[in-house]
Amino acid sequence: MGLCLCVFILACSTTLYLPTSETVSDPELLSELQDGRKLYVANCASCHNLYKPHKFTQEKWAHEMEEMKKEAEITDTEATLILQYLAAAPAKK
């Protein structure tokens, strides 16, 4: 069961926006966005399916993060990185 969950999470995470040096020129920002993505996948997928970043507005993501932060035991710094990643993802075309 655990292996199936890990495979599912990895499969879903590959369809999410992946910040790269081709899409983000600032190395510090790139590192923060990559950290935010890792935190999003690691913390949020442990309880539910991952939503694509463009699924919600920035305001909705911020509200959801406040709601989930305590349950997922996410620090303020981690929440900021996750929200930064979600906001940076390009809109669905």
Side-chain angles (χ1 to χ4, degrees), residues 30-64:
L30 175 60
S31 178
E32 290 173 357
L33 294 176
Q34 289 172 336
D35 288 346
R37 183 183 188 279
K38 288 176 193 168
L39 288 165
Y40 178 58
V41 171
N43 289 286
C44 303
S46 63
C47 293
H48 54 78
N49 291 336
L50 293 175
Y51 293 99
K52 302 280 175 104
H54 62 269
K55 173 82 174 170
F56 302 117
T57 64
Q58 289 182 15
E59 293 80 19
K60 177 70 172 166
W61 277 119
H63 174 76
E64 292 299 316

Side-chain angles (χ1 to χ4, degrees), residues 1 4 6 9-11 15 23 26-27 32-33 45 52 56 59 64-65 79 85 91:
M1 176 74 172
C4 291
C6 288
I9 290 170
L10 288 174
T15 64
T23 59
D26 179 350
E32 290 173 357
L33 294 176
K52 302 280 175 104
F56 302 117
E59 293 80 19
E64 292 299 316
M65 183 59 63
Y85 161 72

